Amino acid sequence: MTCKSPSSYLLKLEQMGSDPRAATCRGKLQSRRCKLNQEINKELRLRAGAENLYKATTNRKLRDTVALELSFVNSNLQLLKEQLAELNSSVEIYQSESHEGIMPMIPLGLKETKEINFMEPFSDFILEHYSEEPSIYMDAIADMTDTRQASKTPSRDGLGVALLFRYYNLLYYVERRFFPPDRNLGVYFEWYDSLTGVPSCQRTIAFEKACTLFNLGAIYTQIGARHDRRTERGLDAAVDSFLRAAGIFRHIYDTFTNAPSMDLKPQVLDVLVSLMLSQARECLFEKLQLQIEALGLTESSHLFRDLAGEAAQLSLEYNEMHKNIQVNDTHTYLPECWAGLVPLKAELYKALAHHYEARSIDTTVGDGDNVSLGTKKSQAASSNESFIGNAREALRATEANSECEEETVSVAAIKRTHLKEALASHEEAQRLQRMCRYLKNKTSLTQVIKEAYYKTQDEYERFCLQAPAKNIEECYDLTERVVEASSKFTLTLTGPDFTSYKVEDPFKRLGPIAIFSARRHWTAPRCVRLQKGSAIYHDASSYHCHCPRGDESHEAGCSLYKEELENFGFHVRGDAPVIIAHVEINSLADLGGIKEGDFIVEIAGMDVKWYSHQQVVRLIQSCGAALELKVITPMDRNYLKPLSSKGSISTLSAASSSGVSSGSSSPTSTTTKPKLRLKNSAKTRFVGSVSSSSWNPFRRTPSLAKIF
C-alpha cells in the first residue's frame, strides 16, 4: 500500500465531506465532547474495578478505603456528566449566524467512536475464507478505513450527509463479505452515548449501522438549525431537514432493537421523532407569520385565526412531549436545557395562540360591531325623531340599540379574556426560563420571549383604551377561554433514501456477493488441467484418416473417434459464476475431479467469477485441446437450484462437446453429435439436473488427467 502524505490525506477527507482541521465553534465543541467521553470512560472503568474489589475483599480497612475511593469516582462522574450536559445545551452554537430574535432550535451532537483498523482482520479473513491473496485488496481495505475515519467529522452540509450515506451503504458489503454469523472476526465497534457519554461496545455491524444513522440524523438537525429562518426559502429548507431527521430516527426505531446505548433506546428515539416534527411545525408557523408581514395585513381575521390554530397545535404537541418525557423517565438522560425548553415552548405558543385569537376577534367582530353599533345608534336617533308622534315605535328602536350594545360588550369580554390568558402564559414562559440555569442566559430566547410579551401587552393596552364605557367585568365573568388546536399543514416523515447514494462494492473482485459471502462455505480452489488426445486431432482441418480402409463408414467412425477425443465431458449453466451442470462418467472432466455443482472461478489464469455463460463458453472454445480450470465445491446444497424448463439445455442437443451453451460452436466447429452418440447420452436429461448418485463434495475418483 502506498504511503499518503498528510496534506493529500486531508485533501481527500475534504473532498469526501469531512474536515477534521475545522476550528469552528462546532468543531471545538465536538472536540470537547470527545475528551469528556474519554474521561467518563476512564472514570467508569475505575468505578467498575473499585466495585469488584469492594465485593471481593473481606478486610474492613480495605473496604473503607475502597468505599471512599468510590465516592470520589462517583463525584467526578457526576461533574463530567454535568459538563457534557452543558455542551449538549449549547444550542446557540448550531444556530444560523443571524439568529438574534429567532427562536432557537434543538440540534443533536454527534456520537463519538474509537478508531478501527480493518487491515489485519480483513486480510486474514480474505486469505482464510476466500483463499485469495490479501495484497490485492489492501487499497480497498485502506479506503474503507479512511471512509470510517472521515465519517467521524462530517461537514455540516450536503457533502457531510453524502459521506455518512456512503459509509452506511459500504457497511452492507462489509457485513456480507466479512462478518459470518457463526464466528467472531475480532472487530469491535465502540461508540460513546451522545447524551450521557457512556461507552458501548459491540461486535455486530448492526450497531455500527445504527450509530452511523444516528449521526446522520444529528447532522440533519444541525443543518436545520443552521438555516436562516428569516426567509421563506430558509424556512422551507429547515422544514425539510427536520423531517429528514425525524424519518431517520423513526427508521432506527423500527429497524434496530436491543440497542446498548441510551440514545438508541426506543423511548429516547420516540421523543426525538416528536421533537423534530414539532420543530418542523414551528418553521411552518414562522413562515405563515412572514407571509402575513409581507402582505402588510394588520387586520385579517382568517389569517390570524390560522395563526392561532397553528400556535395552539404547537402548544398541544409540546405539552404531550413534556408528559411523555416525564412518564418514561427520559428526562434523566436528556440534557436539562432540552427538558426545560419543551415546556417553555408549550407556554409560549399557548400565549401566541390567545394573542392571535384575540386579534382575529378584534378584526372580525369588535370593530365591525362598533361600526354597526354606531350605525344603529344613528339610525335609532333618526327613528326617534321621525317617530315623535308614535311612542311604540320609538320604544322598539331603543330596545334594539340596547341589544347591540350588549353584543359588543360580550365580544369585547372574550377578547379581553384571550389577552389576559396570553399575558399569563407569557409570564409563565419567562418564569420557566429563569428557573432553568441553562436557559436563562440564552440571549436569543430571552429576546423572542420579551418581544412576544411586549406585543401582547401593547395589544391589551390598546384594547383597554378602546373598550366600551360599560364595565365588562361586572357584566361578564369569562375566567378562561380555550383556543382550538388546528393546522392546515400535514407533516410526513422523510425516510432515508439510501438509493440516492449508490456505492460500488469495494471487494467486488471476490465474486458475486450472493455466492461469495461470509455466510457461505466452499472447499479450497482446485486447479485442474484437461488435455484432449493426440495433437493430430486438435484441428479439424488437419485431421486425415491413416487407416488402410477408406470407405465412408470407416471415415465416419474415425470422425466419431476424433469428436470423442475432443469432448471434455462436462456441461455448464448459469451466470456469474458459471456452474458445472453435468459431468459425463469416465470423461476427462470426471477423471480430472470435476463434480456436478462446482463453480468455475478461473479459466486459463483468468478470473471468471463475474463472467456470463456466453463469455465462459467463448473462453473455453478459445483454449483448444488444453483446458486449465480452477473450481470450488460448495458445501451447501442450496447452491444447486434446478433451472426451469424454459432455461434448461440438453446435454447433447445443439451443445458443444464440452457442454457449453446451445447455439455456440464447439472447439472443433462441431455443433451436433452423431445419432450413435445421441442414443447413449440420455437425451432427455437437462443441464439443471443433478446426478442420480448421492451428492458428495469430497468424492475421490482416479484421475488420468493432469491435476495441479
Side-chain angles (χ1 to χ4, degrees):
M1 182 177 60
T2 59
C3 297
K4 302 177 182 179
S5 63
S7 58
S8 62
Y9 176 71
L10 291 174
L11 179 61
K12 177 183 177 182
L13 292 182
E14 290 178 2
Q15 295 173 350
M16 295 172 64
S18 173
D19 189 5
R21 301 175 302 176
T24 61
C25 294
R26 187 181 72 94
K28 294 178 180 179
L29 191 69
Q30 197 66 31
S31 299
R32 288 178 57 193
R33 187 194 306 276
C34 179
K35 293 179 180 179
L36 280 176
N37 288 333
Q38 294 175 358
E39 293 179 6
I40 290 174
N41 187 22
K42 177 182 177 181
E43 295 295 333
L44 286 174
R45 291 184 177 181
L46 288 175
R47 187 175 69 175
E51 288 176 348
N52 292 334
L53 181 59
Y54 185 84
K55 295 176 183 179
T57 185
T58 57
N59 190 327
R60 178 176 296 180
K61 185 176 180 180
L62 182 58
R63 287 172 67 93
D64 293 340
T65 304
V66 172
L68 181 62
E69 184 66 25
L70 273 174
S71 64
F72 286 133
V73 171
N74 289 329
S75 299
N76 291 336
L77 269 176
Q78 186 63 30
L79 291 175
L80 291 173
K81 289 185 177 181
E82 288 180 359
Q83 294 179 25
L84 184 61
E86 185 177 357
L87 287 183
N88 290 326
S89 301
S90 303
V91 295
E92 69 278 358
I93 294 179
Y94 297 95
Q95 310 301 317
S96 62
E97 296 180 357
S98 57
H99 64 276
E100 294 183 0
I102 299 178
M103 173 65 69
M105 296 294 178
I106 298 178
L108 275 71
L110 300 180
K111 292 172 68 71
E112 290 289 336
T113 182
K114 289 187 175 181
E115 296 183 8
I116 297 178
N117 190 353
F118 297 114
M119 185 62 68
E120 183 177 353
F122 284 8
S123 298
D124 293 343
F125 192 80
I126 289 174
L127 180 61
E128 175 188 351
H129 186 76
Y130 295 99
S131 300
E132 294 200 24
E133 181 58 40
S135 59
I136 304 175
Y137 303 94
M138 291 184 68
D139 289 340
I141 299 174
D143 289 341
M144 187 68 197
T145 305
D146 292 343
T147 304
R148 187 182 191 275
Q149 180 66 19
S151 66
K152 294 172 56 179
T153 55
S155 56
R156 193 168 45 154
D157 51 21
L159 290 176
V161 170
L163 170 63
L164 291 174
F165 265 117
R166 286 199 305 270
Y167 179 63
Y168 181 88
N169 288 336
L170 284 174
L171 289 176
Y172 166 79
Y173 296 108
V174 171
E175 181 180 18
R176 298 287 299 274
R177 297 288 192 186
F178 298 103
F179 286 84
D182 54 350
R183 57 171 288 192
N184 180 17
L185 191 62
V187 176
Y188 292 90
F189 302 100
E190 185 171 358
W191 289 82
Y192 294 95
D193 195 298
S194 175
L195 305 177
T196 63
V198 177
S200 300
C201 184
Q202 283 198 353
R203 63 184 183 184
T204 60
I205 202 81
F207 182 53
E208 179 82 353
K209 287 183 175 180
C211 294
T212 302
L213 281 182
F214 184 91
N215 278 355
L216 182 60
I219 283 292
Y220 272 126
T221 64
Q222 296 179 15
I223 294 175
R226 183 185 185 183
H227 286 298
D228 185 7
R229 304 206 314 275
R230 296 177 302 175
T231 62
E232 292 188 19
R233 182 177 181 181
L235 286 169
D236 290 337
V239 170
D240 180 71
S241 297
F242 287 128
L243 290 180
R244 290 183 183 276
I248 289 175
F249 293 137
R250 175 59 63 182
H251 181 78
I252 300 174
Y253 180 91
D254 296 335
T255 307
F256 301 96
T257 57
N258 302 322
S261 59
M262 182 51 60
D263 53 4
L264 297 177
K265 293 291 184 182
Q267 59 269 27
V268 175
L269 292 173
D270 188 46
V271 170
L272 293 180
V273 171
S274 302
L275 179 61
M276 295 305 118
L277 288 176
S278 298
Q279 293 189 148
R281 192 175 294 279
E282 274 189 82
C283 296
L284 294 173
F285 174 78
E286 294 174 358
K287 182 180 178 181
L288 192 57
Q289 283 182 315
L290 281 180
Q291 291 175 348
I292 294 178
E293 293 177 1
L295 294 175
L297 299 177
T298 58
E299 304 294 341
S300 180
S301 59
H302 67 281
L303 290 178
F304 286 138
R305 193 174 294 112
D306 289 342
L307 279 174
E310 294 290 343
Q313 181 66 30
L314 278 170
S315 178
L316 177 63
E317 291 183 2
Y318 276 116
N319 273 322
E320 292 179 352
M321 192 189 313
H322 180 60
K323 293 178 182 178
N324 189 21
I325 291 174
Q326 299 298 323
V327 168
N328 57 21
D329 294 334
T330 312
H331 65 281
T332 58
Y333 307 105
L334 293 179
E336 186 177 345
C337 173
W338 299 9
L341 191 58
V342 168
L344 187 151
K345 286 190 175 184
E347 289 296 330
L348 177 62
Y349 285 109
K350 179 182 177 182
L352 292 176
H354 285 288
H355 172 81
Y356 286 113
E357 186 69 21
R359 293 193 65 178
S360 69
I361 292 174
D362 186 25
T363 302
T364 57
V365 180
D367 294 342
D369 281 355
N370 288 335
V371 172
S372 63
L373 178 60
T375 304
K376 290 181 179 180
K377 281 183 178 181
S378 61
Q379 291 177 355
S382 62
S383 298
N384 289 336
E385 293 177 357
S386 60
F387 292 116
I388 294 177
N390 192 342
R392 181 176 297 178
E393 294 295 334
L395 180 62
R396 289 179 180 176
T398 304
E399 291 177 353
N401 192 10
S402 301
E403 291 177 359
C404 184
E405 288 181 359
E406 291 180 0
E407 182 181 357
T408 303
V409 171
S410 65
V411 171
I414 293 175
K415 177 185 177 181
R416 178 179 180 276
T417 304
H418 279 299
L419 289 175
K420 291 186 69 175
E421 287 287 338
L423 289 173
S425 296
H426 277 304
E427 292 173 357
E428 178 64 17
Q430 292 177 356
R431 187 189 69 84
L432 290 174
Q433 185 191 16
R434 292 192 301 267
M435 292 292 292
C436 182
R437 58 176 177 172
Y438 297 110
L439 294 178
K440 62 183 180 181
N441 296 324
K442 305 298 181 185
T443 307
S444 178
L445 179 62
T446 304
Q447 186 176 353
V448 170
I449 295 176
K450 286 185 176 181
E451 184 178 351
Y453 175 75
Y454 292 150
K455 286 182 179 180
T456 304
Q457 194 174 33
D458 293 342
E459 185 72 21
Y460 183 72
E461 291 176 356
R462 284 196 302 269
F463 166 77
C464 292
L465 294 175
Q466 300 173 359
K470 194 171 184 179
N471 193 339
I472 300 173
E473 292 183 356
E474 295 179 357
C475 299
Y476 299 95
D477 185 17
L478 301 176
T479 58
E480 184 179 358
R481 299 291 294 181
V482 177
V483 181
E484 183 179 356
S486 62
S487 177
K488 62 179 183 180
F489 302 110
T490 302
L491 299 181
T492 304
L493 299 179
T494 305
D497 187 10
F498 301 111
T499 58
S500 298
Y501 303 90
K502 295 181 179 180
V503 296
E504 292 186 359
D505 184 5
F507 305 97
K508 183 178 180 179
R509 188 169 179 177
L510 292 173
I513 200 169
I515 302 297
F516 299 94
S517 66
R519 293 177 175 269
R520 305 294 188 180
H521 299 277
W522 51 85
T523 61
R526 307 188 307 276
C527 296
V528 180
R529 178 181 175 86
L530 303 180
Q531 179 71 46
K532 292 183 182 180
S534 173
I536 192 174
Y537 302 117
H538 290 174
D539 187 6
S541 61
S542 62
Y543 172 74
H544 300 282
C545 178
H546 297 278
C547 298
R549 295 177 56 187
D551 54 352
E552 293 182 0
S553 60
H554 177 67
E555 289 186 5
C558 288
S559 298
L560 180 62
Y561 179 67
K562 182 192 75 169
E563 188 178 53
E564 180 69 21
L565 289 177
E566 293 168 351
N567 186 1
F568 291 118
F570 68 91
H571 306 264
V572 296
R573 67 173 175 88
D575 296 311
V578 175
I579 305 175
I580 302 295
H582 173 66
V583 179
E584 297 181 2
I585 300 176
N586 294 328
S587 63
L588 289 177
D590 186 30
L591 298 177
I594 298 178
K595 306 177 182 62
E596 294 180 3
D598 284 355
F599 294 147
I600 301 177
V601 296
E602 189 177 299
I603 298 178
M606 298 180 60
D607 192 300
V608 296
K609 290 191 287 290
W610 283 98
Y611 276 34
S612 66
H613 186 243
Q614 294 294 334
Q615 289 175 316
V616 170
V617 168
R618 288 194 293 267
L619 190 57
I620 292 177
Q621 291 173 353
S622 65
C623 290
L627 180 62
E628 294 184 4
L629 298 174
K630 185 179 286 186
V631 297
I632 59 174
T633 301
M635 302 175 66
D636 184 1
R637 283 296 299 269
N638 293 332
Y639 283 102
L640 298 179
K641 296 180 180 179
L643 288 174
S644 61
S645 59
K646 181 179 179 180
S648 59
I649 305 172
S650 174
T651 56
L652 296 173
S653 175
S656 65
S657 61
S658 59
V660 292
S661 64
S662 60
S664 60
S665 60
S666 67
T668 56
S669 301
T670 303
T671 57
T672 58
K673 295 285 184 179
K675 294 182 180 180
L676 181 63
R677 289 289 296 168
L678 291 172
K679 187 175 182 180
N680 299 327
S681 300
K683 182 178 180 180
T684 58
R685 182 168 47 191
F686 292 94
V687 171
S689 62
V690 184
S691 177
S692 59
S693 60
S694 61
W695 187 85
N696 183 6
F698 302 104
R699 177 170 62 91
R700 295 180 180 273
T701 55
S703 176
L704 299 180
K706 186 176 181 181
I707 303 179
F708 294 87

